[in-house]
Amino acid sequence: MQAENTSNEEMYLVGEIPEELHADDGAAADELQRIIAHEHSETAKIIKGFTRTERHAVKLLTLQKEYEKNQQKRALMRLMRRQRVEIDDRYLHDVSNADLAWAANKHFIDMMVIVTDKPGLHALLPQNDTDPSYVFKLDLHQRHRTWKAKHVDLGFDPAGHMLYIGTYNQEEIWLAMAPTAFIRAEWTAAAKHIDAPNSALTQRHFCMITTFLAHQLHEGGYKDIQIRTSYPLELTQADMRQHTNIFGHELIDREIHELTYREVKDLHTRMVARYEDFASEAPERWLGDGYLRDNVPIMIAVRYGQNQEICRFDRIDEEANHWNRLHRYKCVRTMVVALATHVKCVPVTGWEDVDVGAIMRDNVEGIYDSPSEDDRQLVNLRDYPLLDDNGHEMNIYDWRGHRIPRRHALIDDGISTAGMLFQLRNLHEVFEDRLFDGGGDSDLGIDSTAHFLYPIGCLGNIGQFQANGVMNCFLPLVRSINDRLAVDDDDDDDDDDDIDLDASTQAHVTRVISPVSSQGYNAYVHRIRARSRFHDVQRGMMTAAFLGTHVSGQANLNKAHDLRRLCNIALPFDRYHEKIIGANFDQSLRVENVFTIRVGRLRRAERTGRYIFKNIIHPLLRMTSHPTVLQVIKRHVVVFRQDVLPSIVEWTTFGLCTALRVLWSMHQLNLENGIPVPPYCVELTAALERTLNFSHTGNPKVLSKGLMDPLWLSLSCMSDGMPCVSPIVSLETSEHLTLRVRRSEWPVSTRTAYPEVCSRRSMLLNFGIPHFNAYHAIFHVKHGICNLPDTFESHITDRSTRLALYIITLAVRVYETDVRTLVQSGVNASLGDVGQGPDANDHEVAIRLERTQALEAWSNIKDKILGYECRAHTHLVRAVVSDPRNLIDGLPKSVHSPKSIQWFAREMISASASGAAHPRAPFISGGGALPVMRVALSEAKCQLGITNMDSEANVLDLLVRVLNKRHVMNVPWSRNPTPGPGRPPSTVVYDSWVNLGSRHPHGASEPLIVGPSQRRIADATQSSTIASEKDCRAPWSVNDLSIQELHRMLDRSTLPIEWSLQLISLPNSDSYVTKTYEWVRDNYDGSRPVHQTALIVAIIFAAVLPNILHDSTPSHLRSVTTPEAITHAVRSSPWCPPPPGRKGFTSSHHFVTMMSTFIIAMYEPTSPLRIYMNEHQGNMGAPWTSKHGAKGIKPFNLVRMGLATAHGINIYTSPKYGMLWRVLTSSEIINYHSHLLRQLRDQPYGPHSALVFVVGETMANNLACTNQVKGRGLTRKSESSVEVGSSKRPRLV
């Protein structure tokens, strides 16, 4: 390791992609791996049109010529069809060619993590204490920085334990609060978990540790650091600045302290000596969570991203000395290192023999004919042939199995390394333990290794890999190195004998070296990537620039301008070309392995940097050149001819890059003038850039399947390697190359009905989620204009009116999303640390829990969150109101409350028309509703073709209609004005609300009916309605009725129109089940008490949905035998919801049909069901019970609703009719019917009594809360008294 190297880039990881291009629904790596390994298998979501399209082969030479001749039209046309690349032999070397020279002698270290095992600053203490250049930069201003080192097992859970504190000698230094069990070298997998969102210390714990450090620096006399209070009362960073100047001398200072070696040594000594006393003497309010007592501070040093060459042949001793000086390894528990070796392959012009005598003098231990110790023989080199019959060198090996070169390759000047990638098709072989059956590597904890494949350059099965272990050909060599190490099994400090581990884990932790992970890729990526981990073509810069035309705010506009300027200078793929053209850079195959080194397992005398370097690091790096490893690598690589590899990606992606270039040119004028780029083009660009990223990285997570599957881009990349686009995109070549999108065919999410996008991550990371919400909603509006859903307001015949309503509905949905976000952030902020920490009382904890649960329940309601259905309002009140004593008053009221819905609609229109830079009520700052509403109202006016004179009234009518349908009944508003000068508040807050239940002073707004023709139709319709209400045989619907209004339809003699056999999936027509339904349909007579009672009870039963199930048999019934007691228990049993995940309890139409049929069939002796039961000893039969029992259509619910009596406890399971239950007698059912009708007609409170009679008081009160009936003015009950089952219930049919 070279001290003078100052680079500190992050470690390169195969297939890694930037945050901007992570797809929310990205393809899985194992899916790609299956396709590569099994070429002809199809994924579950494959699209028929793609599979029916014929796939053609295209020569790599053809692609090269198209690229070099800049044949853009042909490249775009090629993008429109499925193809797979065939690599011509001219581009490849034959791996078995005897005139290829192979070497693996250039090594690098890419990461090193040192974990100490004792309290103090051991990781900061070098072996040499006289270095005058020593400096440790103490930085306590990055509390929120998280621990991100990959492949590192610290030995304890880092959550809430890690604090970045500065740098030493290019290394990041982390203070880790390690569990005391870790210090005692005990197994810490079950150590106490810290409730923290990530690895960073909580603010409370951070203040404790900085207080401790300030004490030690103050007592050690470091500069002028002081601490005024030993244990500050308030543990916040703001308060800490009042107690110590360790952060800086001013309240806003961010001072970084530079400590010399002696100052670090003094701080270390004090920390070791004083921490235990500091923790034990802390006040009780500090010790409540046991953090100080259960953890101690240790140091962890991290150096990564160096890509620093080590183990040079002529500098081994020098480097070993450097490692020895760098750290004191006596107190190091583990090291994690990433070691890489470059495998080179170069064509030679000739060979020069090595002097035989020199070889023999350098290998006095012996020269062998095989690398294997089991079957090798000593050779007499003077008699041993140099070449075999095929011209290959007859290899010889030293005593450790390494090949001894017998010839030197003669290589012409200017000849570079051949580019290599892995052949992925059979790469799984090198990770299967069958390669080394009986190899005895179970002590390394290795089974078959999980690995992931990343095809490169659209080549399908050629590329890179990443694995959760190393190639199995390395394992015998790792074991051999382990066996040679001086291990101290008797060291008390590292005694693991008492650890309760399984055998394999015990063997795993007792070995010094354990493989962790590996990756293989071509070294050219280190040339083309920037200082960060990603090169320009991976970042989605064009997508971000296009998205910048859809944002607002000066900071965002400046960023968009910068992105646009960068793309104008050179598009991302042009930057890639500039980096590879004419450059002479390394194209070796890079094999990188990560190992954990348990330094604590070494003998104390051998825990030195020199020993570790010479006996561990150097041998680990030399493994790649070992014949057993190199031969395996050779069998699984593709060797390209010189300077082919980086260019292949340009040849194969020329069509993609041309499409992106065409899109950029098409919208150049829009970009210059700040005109928003059409969302279709933005998303097509995003999809193409993701595809380009996949071509460079091979990571399927970049493929956003929701959009890119229908576009065929992800399907073609995964199946063919070469990308192609579906007919959704077409190419026009008349004058200029142009790409067109068939908007009507653009894919739409089946879950949200929004148009599919794949630019979300780019918008979020570059401009923020509010801008994405606005952009996505505007896209939704634009797409809605092109694709009005057939089911939306289908009863309206005028398409323009439907379009206008649909557009405004989309805008109102965005407003609801803004309200949801406002309430969530506001409530969470108000909760803060209330009810947490050792000083919190039980009451505070309970209130915090209740508010959190209420917020979660409200947030989980998917629709109509501002209304009263699904107990949305109740959950909202409980979440927003902080003081339980104010719950009875409901939501905190604005001075404007209450208002009418017409008033709110006018406020929305007025605020939308305002040109103010910041939104005012009712629109929410940072939300997306304001820009969407502006677009929606403008588009609605255009669709209706209305003039300025009548536009407001018409748009107001539209908006009011939508707000009513969306149940917008309570809305957040700005804070109430305070006395004194100044403008009134205009920012909407979560704890000031306006109720919209007031009547409009001038009556309701006019309906959306205009013109004499529509008026005449309305009058005729109204007269028809009046006539039909007086006709007992006229069709009628329960959709328009609440239970409160059922009395209006008691004279009807026919079934409602919702009663339909088409809703019920019935068996064949000969089944008694089907015949029963048909019998009820044909014989229903609403004038008969039994039939009318059955229908009314079925409607009430459907209103209770989904809470129609029951608990198991109560234990107290097992000794009860009287029918009266059992019937009473059933009548009193609670109505329960179905188990989570169980479906089919939302369609009330189904249950009205099924329950009314069941009741009537049971009361009619001549029904097919009763006839079947008479013939089968009272059993209803499996065809009936299997269809109805799981839905609650069974005897138990008839008893529960008073329509039957129970005679045995088996009523809870599978009762037989006649023995265990019976329906009411004729006189009893007539009395039931009379009582029910009398209550329904007794307005206004009779319907509530009817519900109590049928389903009990709890459910009656629940239905009263949802306006199904008018309650009797009962006092408010606690939530627990009315909570029954799930709050999700469909509206009464």
Side-chain angles (χ1 to χ4, degrees):
M1 185 178 295
Q2 300 300 309
E4 66 272 17
N5 192 323
T6 59
S7 171
N8 200 30
E9 297 178 357
E10 293 189 15
M11 177 181 173
Y12 172 79
L13 294 174
V14 162
E16 193 171 25
I17 52 179
E19 285 289 320
E20 295 94 323
L21 292 182
H22 272 278
D24 294 330
D25 56 347
D30 57 349
E31 182 179 356
L32 174 63
Q33 182 173 338
R34 285 194 301 271
I35 290 176
I36 292 174
H38 310 286
E39 180 179 359
H40 301 292
S41 66
E42 296 182 357
T43 61
K45 294 183 66 177
I46 201 161
I47 296 176
K48 292 181 180 179
F50 177 78
T51 57
R52 288 196 299 264
T53 302
E54 184 180 359
R55 185 176 72 184
H56 302 276
V58 56
K59 296 286 188 180
L60 185 59
L61 177 61
T62 302
L63 298 175
Q64 180 187 4
K65 289 181 177 179
E66 287 180 2
Y67 173 80
E68 292 175 347
K69 295 179 180 180
N70 196 29
Q71 296 174 334
Q72 296 187 7
K73 181 178 176 180
R74 291 191 61 181
L76 286 176
M77 293 176 64
R78 190 177 300 285
L79 193 62
M80 303 295 163
R81 57 180 181 267
R82 287 186 64 183
Q83 298 178 107
R84 189 177 187 92
V85 177
E86 286 188 357
I87 303 176
D88 312 64
D89 290 341
R90 70 178 66 204
Y91 297 105
L92 300 175
H93 282 297
D94 183 357
V95 177
S96 62
N97 188 340
D99 287 327
L100 289 178
W102 294 79
N105 54 9
K106 196 170 185 180
H107 310 296
F108 301 85
I109 185 167
D110 211 27
M111 177 190 72
M112 183 173 71
V113 179
I114 293 179
V115 182
T116 59
D117 64 355
K118 288 182 173 52
L121 303 178
H122 293 283
L124 289 171
L125 301 178
Q127 192 70 27
N128 181 5
D129 57 4
T130 60
D131 183 2
S133 64
Y134 179 98
V135 61
F136 166 55
K137 296 181 179 180
L138 176 64
D139 180 357
L140 297 176
H141 305 288
Q142 300 190 47
R143 176 177 76 85
H144 296 286
R145 188 166 179 174
T146 55
W147 172 259
K148 294 182 178 179
K150 294 178 171 60
H151 315 301
V152 177
D153 180 9
L154 296 176
F156 56 89
D157 184 359
H161 284 280
M162 307 296 291
L163 175 64
Y164 171 84
I165 62 168
T167 59
Y168 155 65
N169 195 30
Q170 306 171 48
E171 296 177 352
E172 292 182 0
I173 303 300
W174 292 74
L175 183 151
M177 292 300 292
T180 54
F182 173 86
I183 302 302
R184 296 194 299 267
E186 296 175 0
W187 190 252
T188 59
K192 181 179 178 181
H193 176 70
I194 302 298
D195 186 14
N198 51 44
S199 66
L201 300 187
T202 64
Q203 178 174 243
R204 174 183 175 82
H205 297 154
F206 170 76
C207 293
M208 292 178 180
I209 298 306
T210 51
T211 298
F212 173 67
L213 292 176
H215 268 295
Q216 308 319 313
L217 289 170
H218 169 69
E219 293 175 3
Y222 174 73
K223 292 186 178 179
D224 60 346
I225 296 297
Q226 58 184 4
I227 180 78
R228 299 182 180 91
T229 308
S230 297
Y231 297 96
L233 181 63
E234 298 294 333
L235 293 173
T236 67
Q237 285 181 257
D239 287 309
M240 283 295 297
R241 283 185 173 271
Q242 300 178 20
H243 296 282
T244 178
N245 61 350
I246 194 172
F247 301 108
H249 291 274
E250 303 293 337
L251 294 179
I252 59 174
D253 273 359
R254 295 174 60 88
E255 185 171 353
I256 296 178
H257 305 283
E258 295 189 355
L259 279 69
T260 65
Y261 170 79
R262 297 196 178 278
E263 290 168 335
V264 170
K265 182 63 186 284
D266 180 71
L267 178 60
H268 163 75
T269 303
R270 293 179 179 277
M271 288 178 64
V272 173
R274 308 285 176 84
Y275 180 78
E276 186 174 345
D277 292 340
F278 177 81
S280 63
E281 295 171 5
E284 189 60 33
R285 63 179 179 273
W286 277 46
L287 301 176
D289 60 359
Y291 190 80
L292 289 180
R293 285 193 299 257
D294 297 340
N295 302 280
V296 294
I298 67 170
M299 291 299 121
I300 297 176
V302 184
R303 181 186 296 228
Y304 57 90
Q306 295 290 307
N307 192 35
Q308 183 172 313
E309 187 174 358
I310 62 171
C311 290
R312 299 179 186 178
F313 176 74
D314 55 344
R315 295 187 179 181
I316 298 297
D317 288 334
E318 180 183 339
E319 291 186 49
N321 291 335
H322 176 70
W323 276 63
N324 205 53
R325 291 191 300 268
L326 196 59
H327 289 284
R328 297 183 181 180
Y329 295 88
K330 293 288 191 294
C331 295
V332 172
R333 177 167 176 154
T334 58
M335 294 175 59
V336 180
V337 291
L339 304 175
T341 297
H342 285 191
V343 178
K344 295 178 178 291
C345 177
V346 185
V348 302
T349 56
W351 298 92
E352 182 180 55
D353 295 348
V354 178
D355 179 65
V356 172
I359 296 175
M360 297 175 67
R361 285 193 300 273
D362 292 340
N363 294 275
V364 295
E365 298 91 347
I367 300 173
Y368 300 89
D369 61 355
S370 170
S372 173
E373 296 181 9
D374 299 329
D375 57 3
R376 67 186 184 184
Q377 298 291 328
L378 284 168
V379 299
N380 183 346
L381 191 58
R382 298 191 184 278
D383 299 331
Y384 198 66
L386 179 64
L387 303 176
D388 62 13
D389 294 339
N390 296 319
H392 292 89
E393 182 177 320
M394 296 280 286
N395 292 328
I396 57 174
Y397 307 90
D398 65 15
W399 69 278
R400 288 186 173 177
H402 288 280
R403 174 178 169 270
I404 303 171
R406 304 179 68 185
R407 298 184 297 173
H408 292 311
L410 302 178
I411 302 171
D412 289 343
D413 293 339
I415 297 296
S416 61
T417 304
M420 285 180 283
L421 287 172
F422 284 92
Q423 172 59 257
L424 305 179
R425 180 66 51 78
N426 299 315
L427 195 64
H428 60 87
E429 295 175 352
V430 306
F431 296 104
E432 293 177 355
D433 52 9
R434 65 180 178 83
L435 288 178
F436 296 95
D437 288 340
D441 294 305
S442 60
D443 58 350
L444 294 173
I446 303 296
D447 296 315
S448 293
T449 302
H451 57 285
F452 310 96
L453 310 178
Y454 301 91
I456 297 298
C458 308
L459 299 179
N461 58 6
I462 298 174
Q464 313 172 139
F465 78 86
Q466 211 175 34
N468 294 340
V470 298
M471 296 184 195
N472 284 346
C473 54
F474 284 102
L475 299 181
L477 302 177
V478 174
R479 184 182 46 159
S480 177
I481 298 172
N482 269 324
D483 291 342
R484 293 197 299 267
L485 294 176
V487 178
D488 188 355
D489 292 319
D490 299 326
D491 193 335
D492 293 339
D493 291 341
D494 299 290
D495 186 10
D496 293 318
D497 293 340
D498 296 332
I499 304 174
D500 186 14
L501 304 176
D502 57 69
S504 62
T505 304
Q506 179 72 41
H508 181 63
V509 300
T510 54
R511 283 289 183 177
V512 174
I513 306 169
S514 295
V516 176
S517 65
S518 64
Q519 55 185 7
Y521 56 96
N522 193 279
Y524 81 86
V525 298
H526 287 280
R527 160 77 183 186
I528 60 176
R529 71 184 181 127
R531 184 176 178 82
S532 60
R533 292 169 295 181
F534 314 108
H535 56 78
D536 301 306
V537 81
Q538 291 181 258
R539 290 190 166 277
M541 292 169 58
M542 289 178 60
T543 301
F546 279 174
L547 288 170
T549 63
H550 291 267
V551 301
S552 58
Q554 194 57 50
N556 287 323
L557 292 174
N558 291 340
K559 186 170 187 177
H561 176 268
D562 292 340
L563 289 166
R564 184 168 64 252
R565 182 176 57 82
L566 287 173
C567 289
N568 280 330
I569 295 172
L571 292 174
F573 41 85
D574 291 330
R575 295 174 184 270
Y576 173 85
H577 175 76
E578 292 167 356
K579 289 182 177 180
I580 68 170
I581 191 66
N584 183 19
F585 50 89
D586 195 356
Q587 299 177 46
S588 303
L589 187 73
R590 185 178 174 102
V591 178
E592 188 172 296
N593 296 323
V594 178
F595 298 97
T596 294
I597 302 171
R598 294 176 180 81
V599 179
R601 297 297 306 166
L602 296 172
R603 292 176 186 165
R604 294 190 65 84
E606 313 301 345
R607 296 180 200 173
T608 66
R610 173 182 291 277
Y611 183 88
I612 291 171
F613 181 82
K614 283 199 166 186
N615 294 275
I616 297 178
I617 301 299
H618 188 209
L620 286 176
L621 284 167
R622 288 197 67 196
M623 290 191 304
T624 308
S625 63
H626 195 278
T628 58
V629 173
L630 198 55
Q631 289 303 319
V632 171
I633 292 175
K634 287 181 182 181
R635 289 198 300 267
H636 291 90
V637 295
V638 176
V639 183
F640 294 95
R641 292 190 179 272
Q642 278 64 26
D643 301 323
V644 168
L645 181 56
S647 299
I648 283 181
V649 184
E650 289 195 295
W651 303 341
T652 57
T653 62
F654 182 50
L656 276 177
C657 297
T658 300
L660 288 166
R661 195 185 303 279
V662 167
L663 287 168
W664 186 261
S665 300
M666 287 171 56
H667 302 287
Q668 189 72 38
L669 192 60
N670 289 26
L671 290 164
E672 292 175 358
N673 296 327
I675 301 173
V677 175
Y680 296 100
C681 294
V682 175
E683 297 309 318
L684 178 58
T685 301
L688 292 172
E689 284 207 288
R690 286 179 175 277
T691 308
L692 187 58
N693 183 293
F694 177 83
S695 302
H696 282 266
T697 66
N699 192 333
K701 289 184 178 180
V702 78
L703 302 176
S704 181
K705 295 172 69 63
L707 175 59
M708 296 177 69
D709 271 5
L711 288 178
W712 291 6
L713 287 168
S714 54
L715 295 173
S716 56
C717 284
M718 301 274 280
S719 298
D720 307 335
M722 278 288 286
C724 71
V725 294
S726 70
I728 294 175
V729 181
S730 61
L731 172 65
E732 294 182 6
T733 60
S734 54
E735 185 175 351
H736 301 288
L737 292 177
T738 306
L739 293 173
R740 300 294 182 197
V741 174
R742 297 176 182 174
R743 301 185 177 190
S744 61
E745 298 180 18
W746 191 265
V748 174
S749 169
T750 57
R751 183 176 59 87
T752 65
Y754 271 55
E756 291 282 7
V757 298
C758 60
S759 65
R760 181 177 181 273
R761 295 284 296 186
S762 181
M763 180 68 96
L764 261 59
L765 292 172
N766 284 293
F767 305 110
I769 192 168
H771 290 284
F772 171 76
N773 290 338
Y775 161 79
H776 200 191
I778 290 172
F779 189 13
H780 197 178
V781 170
K782 299 289 186 182
H783 188 68
I785 295 173
C786 302
N787 303 276
L788 176 65
D790 294 335
T791 56
F792 181 81
E793 299 284 8
S794 57
H795 60 283
I796 298 178
T797 57
D798 182 64
R799 178 175 172 79
S800 296
T801 302
R802 288 179 62 215
L803 269 175
L805 279 170
Y806 183 58
I807 292 167
I808 294 178
T809 299
L810 299 180
V812 172
R813 285 177 177 171
V814 177
Y815 170 75
E816 291 172 338
T817 300
D818 290 350
V819 174
R820 190 191 298 268
T821 303
L822 173 73
V823 172
Q824 289 170 338
S825 59
V827 172
N828 286 327
S830 72
L831 288 173
D833 294 329
V834 175
Q836 292 187 326
D839 298 331
N841 57 49
D842 293 343
H843 178 70
E844 290 177 337
V845 173
I847 296 302
R848 179 187 180 87
L849 179 62
E850 289 179 10
R851 292 185 67 193
T852 303
Q853 291 175 339
L855 179 63
E856 182 179 1
W858 181 77
S859 300
N860 289 337
I861 297 174
K862 295 183 178 179
D863 206 19
K864 300 176 182 177
I865 59 173
L866 298 177
Y868 297 100
E869 288 189 357
C870 303
R871 303 184 68 240
H873 188 69
T874 301
H875 294 315
L876 181 61
V877 171
R878 293 179 62 201
V880 169
V881 177
S882 57
D883 190 341
R885 294 170 295 183
N886 297 330
L887 285 172
I888 194 68
D889 299 322
L891 291 170
K893 294 179 178 59
S894 165
V895 293
H896 298 284
S897 185
K899 291 291 186 181
S900 67
I901 193 66
Q902 289 79 9
W903 172 85
F904 179 68
R906 284 196 177 92
E907 289 294 316
M908 270 197 150
I909 294 172
S910 173
S912 298
S914 171
H918 300 287
R920 64 173 176 86
F923 294 109
I924 297 167
S925 179
L930 177 57
V932 177
M933 185 61 75
R934 284 171 175 164
V935 174
L937 295 179
S938 175
E939 290 289 346
K941 292 177 184 179
C942 293
Q943 292 298 323
L944 295 175
I946 52 182
T947 64
N948 289 334
M949 293 181 62
D950 56 5
S951 62
E952 183 174 348
N954 281 272
V955 171
L956 181 66
D957 287 339
L958 290 169
L959 185 53
V960 168
R961 180 182 180 122
V962 171
L963 292 171
N964 282 329
K965 191 165 185 177
R966 300 292 304 166
H967 290 206
V968 178
M969 298 174 179
N970 296 276
V971 294
W973 208 256
S974 55
R975 295 195 186 280
N976 293 330
T978 55
R983 294 190 300 178
S986 61
T987 302
V988 177
V989 293
Y990 83 99
D991 53 357
S992 179
W993 291 77
V994 175
N995 175 265
L996 302 178
S998 177
R999 289 185 178 274
H1000 192 262
H1002 304 296
S1005 61
E1006 287 296 317
L1008 281 174
I1009 301 175
V1010 293
S1013 174
Q1014 287 80 2
R1015 179 64 63 189
R1016 288 192 294 270
I1017 294 173
D1019 292 342
T1021 302
Q1022 185 175 359
S1023 66
S1024 175
T1025 301
I1026 294 173
S1028 67
E1029 287 183 353
K1030 297 179 180 179
D1031 190 337
C1032 69
R1033 297 171 300 148
W1036 65 288
S1037 171
V1038 295
N1039 264 347
D1040 302 326
L1041 300 174
S1042 64
I1043 295 175
Q1044 187 78 25
E1045 300 167 317
L1046 270 181
H1047 67 94
R1048 291 166 45 194
M1049 297 298 174
L1050 294 180
D1051 294 331
R1052 297 301 170 97
S1053 60
T1054 58
L1055 289 166
I1057 60 175
E1058 290 81 11
W1059 200 102
S1060 172
L1061 297 189
Q1062 295 179 349
L1063 299 174
I1064 313 300
S1065 299
L1066 294 172
N1068 62 72
S1069 58
D1070 293 332
S1071 169
Y1072 73 96
V1073 177
T1074 302
K1075 290 180 178 179
T1076 298
Y1077 276 90
E1078 293 172 343
W1079 188 94
V1080 171
R1081 178 196 62 192
D1082 298 337
N1083 292 276
Y1084 178 80
D1085 183 358
S1087 64
R1088 297 184 59 186
V1090 169
H1091 290 205
Q1092 188 176 50
T1093 299
L1095 183 58
I1096 293 173
V1097 171
I1099 292 172
I1100 294 174
F1101 181 77
V1104 178
L1105 285 173
N1107 306 303
I1108 59 173
L1109 302 184
H1110 61 84
D1111 293 328
S1112 57
T1113 308
S1115 58
H1116 73 276
L1117 286 183
R1118 301 190 184 279
S1119 60
V1120 175
T1121 58
T1122 64
E1124 293 80 6
I1126 299 173
T1127 301
H1128 176 74
V1130 174
R1131 288 278 280 158
S1132 304
S1133 63
W1135 295 78
C1136 301
R1142 190 165 164 186
K1143 300 179 180 179
F1145 290 85
T1146 58
S1147 176
S1148 51
H1149 296 174
H1150 291 71
F1151 285 86
V1152 169
T1153 303
M1154 295 169 73
M1155 180 55 85
S1156 61
T1157 297
F1158 181 45
I1159 297 172
I1160 292 172
M1162 287 306 304
Y1163 271 92
E1164 294 289 356
T1166 60
S1167 72
L1169 176 61
R1170 284 295 300 272
I1171 293 173
Y1172 178 90
M1173 293 170 63
N1174 292 337
E1175 295 173 351
H1176 294 80
Q1177 293 79 45
N1179 287 320
M1180 288 183 282
W1184 181 275
T1185 55
S1186 62
K1187 180 172 183 60
H1188 298 82
K1191 300 290 188 181
I1193 313 297
K1194 56 184 181 179
F1196 183 92
N1197 276 331
L1198 294 192
V1199 176
R1200 179 153 56 173
M1201 294 187 292
L1203 290 171
T1205 56
H1207 297 271
I1209 60 174
N1210 282 344
I1211 189 66
Y1212 283 85
T1213 54
S1214 302
K1216 284 188 177 182
Y1217 184 74
M1219 297 176 58
L1220 299 174
W1221 72 285
R1222 289 183 180 275
V1223 296
L1224 302 181
T1225 64
S1226 297
S1227 60
E1228 288 173 337
I1229 192 62
I1230 290 174
N1231 289 337
Y1232 186 105
H1233 172 259
S1234 300
H1235 181 73
L1236 187 59
L1237 263 61
R1238 184 168 57 252
Q1239 290 177 324
L1240 289 174
R1241 286 175 173 143
D1242 182 18
Q1243 297 290 319
Y1245 300 115
H1248 182 272
S1249 299
L1251 288 179
V1252 173
F1253 175 62
V1254 178
V1255 294
E1257 185 174 7
T1258 298
M1259 291 309 305
N1261 290 340
N1262 276 0
L1263 294 176
C1265 291
T1266 58
N1267 298 325
Q1268 287 290 348
V1269 294
K1270 185 175 180 62
R1272 292 184 174 273
L1274 301 175
T1275 57
R1276 296 181 181 226
K1277 294 178 180 281
S1278 66
E1279 292 294 334
S1280 60
S1281 68
V1282 298
E1283 180 75 35
V1284 179
S1286 170
S1287 62
K1288 181 179 181 183
R1289 184 186 61 79
R1291 181 175 173 81
L1292 178 63
V1293 297

